[in-house]
Structures are given as structure tokens and as C-alpha cells.
Amino acid sequence: MIRPTVVAGNWKMHGSRDSARTLARAIVQGVEDDASREVLLCPPFVHLFDVLEETVQSPVQVGAQNVGDQPEGAYTGEVSVAMLAELGCSHVIIGHSERRHVYGEPDELIGRKFALLHQSAQQDLPNAPRAILCVGETLEEREAGRTLDVIHRQLQPVRSFPDAFPRALIAYEPVWAIGTGVAATPDMAQEVHAAIRAHLEQELGAAAQDTVVLYGGSVKAGNASELFAMPDIDGGLIGGASLKADEFLAICQAMRK
Ligand code: PEP
């Protein structure tokens, strides 16, 4: 199996129902139908239904930006795996740096979300969203030479649930590159991606080659091709640049074939 390339737009907390529909419609109109190059949109929870309607019968997939760590119950403000599956979400981002660093989500909580997604898919919800597990170091951690230690720690779900891959995806997102306009250079990103791939190989064996590892952090139309040309970068998780249809479609065009 040759792993697909994927470009995922993380719309964060932007837009209205109207603007979400308009953006989704423009992306559906511009996207190529190519099963080896996947396009995914992750709008805010309350816009999921609108975006799912706009993308129905198109190759564009729709995912969520977060999920609760419990199957159901008295958890005010949370959204469950089953709810996302029922709606038709194909993927869910977990452990995004804004969840880790702005909302203080620890590795243990992210690990429980990963476990629940994996167990749901194996047991009663074969259509449970696929996890996109985000990992990445802060500037301080990079400067202290701790990048790979941090990433290995954040990759604990790989060791706990090796059979969750290649269904689950990984996104390497250096925190210092997210929303700053300063992307990692292709060589810097490839170095970490190669280390992630080596870790996957050690833990998963052959499934490592089938596991999609995305890069995220200030990807734009202007730098996407050189990042995506790297052998271990299988596409991108795109924040700011996913909010403009033309820019996002140009990034999709840059995916490796
Ligand atoms: C992100 O939010 O995952 C991200 C990569 O943001 P940006 O592309 O804006 O840096």
C-alpha cells in the first residue's frame, strides 16, 4: 500500500454558518477527485452539519477539531465519539497545541481520547472518526535540544495502541511555527518526520510505511510544494491558510502524487 497524501484545513474558531458554507462550497468546486490525495475540512463543531451538507457526494471529507474523552454522560460542554460518527465525521484532531498549551490538556487526557477513538472503531463504531494525533515542541524545548524527547513522550499512543495505525494519522506541528508565519524549513521538518517514521518503524513494523504523518505550522501556497516534496511529509494540517479557498486549493495542488 502506498500511503495517501492528505491536506486538512483546521478552521479553528472562525466564521459563521454562512461563511463556512461559502468556503466549503468553493473548496468542493475547486478540488480534484483523486483518491490518493485526500482533502479534509475541520470546521468548528457548530458548523459541521452545514459543511457536511456542502461536501456530500464530493471527495472532500469533514472532521472535528476535538472530542471528549468519555463515551457519554454528565460532561457539560463535551462532544462524544459517537456523536461525531453519527454526523459523518471521518477524522478528529486531538492534542492540537492550542488544546495542550492554551487549555492545558495533558498527555494523559489526549491518551484517553486516542484510546476511546481506537476502541470505538474496533468495537461498536467502525465508522468512528480517525484520530489525527498532533505532536510538537515549543521554541524553548527546541532550543534546549529536547525536541525528540518531547515528541517521543507525546507519541505514547503509538506504543499503547500499535494496532490503531495506519488508521490513525500523526501531525507534527512545531508550536513555534503555528500561526506565526515562520514555518519550519523543509530540512528541519524532514529531520523530525524521519525521526517520527523511525519510531513508528520500531513500534509498528510494516504499518509505519502506511501511516500518514502531516506537517503543520505556517504552511502557505508559497512553501507547500517544498515541504510536501520531503519523503516523510505526507501533506499538511493547515490553519490560517485554510480560511481562503484559493490559498487552500493551491496548497492541495502541492500534494505529492
Ligand atoms: C494549525 O492550527 O494546526 C496550524 C498549523 O496553523 P497555521 O497554519 O495557521 O500555522
Side-chain angles (χ1 to χ4, degrees):
M1 163 174 155
I2 298 175
R3 58 182 181 268
T5 49
V6 180
V7 165
N10 173 13
W11 293 359
K12 308 196 188 190
M13 196 171 71
H14 289 292
S16 61
R17 290 183 65 187
D18 232 32
S19 70
R21 277 190 178 266
T22 305
L23 180 55
R25 204 174 303 141
I27 290 166
V28 165
Q29 276 163 7
V31 92
E32 279 173 34
D33 192 355
D34 176 348
S36 68
R37 300 162 98 208
E38 299 180 13
V39 175
L40 170 70
L41 305 179
C42 300
F45 284 128
V46 292
H47 299 157
L48 279 169
F49 187 75
D50 290 288
V51 174
L52 279 155
E53 272 198 349
E54 293 293 339
T55 54
V56 78
Q57 287 177 345
S58 87
V60 175
Q61 303 177 81
V62 178
Q65 300 173 18
N66 195 12
V67 69
D69 67 323
Q70 299 296 326
E72 67 173 339
Y75 302 102
T76 302
E78 295 295 303
V79 170
S80 73
V81 171
M83 291 169 186
L84 296 181
E86 183 184 30
L87 213 47
C89 290
S90 58
H91 295 72
V92 60
I93 300 168
I94 59 171
H96 189 278
S97 82
E98 286 147 20
R99 299 305 317 170
R100 292 181 188 270
H101 298 289
V102 181
Y103 293 98
E105 288 195 8
D107 289 323
E108 295 69 34
L109 175 62
I110 296 157
R112 284 200 299 279
K113 295 179 184 196
F114 190 95
L116 188 57
L117 284 161
H118 172 53
Q119 285 153 3
S120 304
Q122 277 199 319
Q123 292 160 15
D124 48 334
L125 280 175
N127 65 336
R130 297 169 66 178
I132 303 178
L133 173 67
C134 298
V135 300
E137 80 288 2
T138 63
L139 187 58
E140 196 183 17
E141 289 161 343
R142 173 164 279 263
E143 287 176 349
R146 294 177 44 224
T147 299
L148 294 186
D149 292 346
V150 169
I151 286 164
H152 282 167
R153 195 197 72 223
Q154 294 171 337
L155 286 175
Q156 178 61 44
V158 174
R159 300 185 285 283
S160 302
F161 304 102
D163 53 341
F165 297 88
R167 189 176 192 274
L169 295 72
I170 292 170
Y172 168 55
E173 299 207 301
V175 179
W176 47 269
I178 297 181
T180 59
V182 184
T185 65
D187 287 340
M188 279 164 95
Q190 168 58 26
E191 190 182 2
V192 178
H193 278 246
I196 292 173
R197 187 85 58 202
H199 189 70
L200 295 176
E201 246 145 37
Q202 186 185 312
E203 300 300 325
L204 312 178
Q209 285 306 322
D210 299 334
T211 300
V212 169
V213 185
L214 305 178
Y215 167 79
S218 296
V219 177
K220 309 220 168 340
N223 62 11
S225 302
E226 46 177 6
L227 284 160
F228 298 169
M230 292 289 144
D232 290 300
I233 299 182
D234 306 320
L237 180 53
I238 320 297
S242 70
L243 295 170
K244 294 186 200 117
D246 289 352
E247 178 91 11
F248 184 71
L249 287 167
I251 294 171
C252 295
Q253 287 285 342
M255 267 189 277
R256 239 184 8 237
K257 294 201 186 191

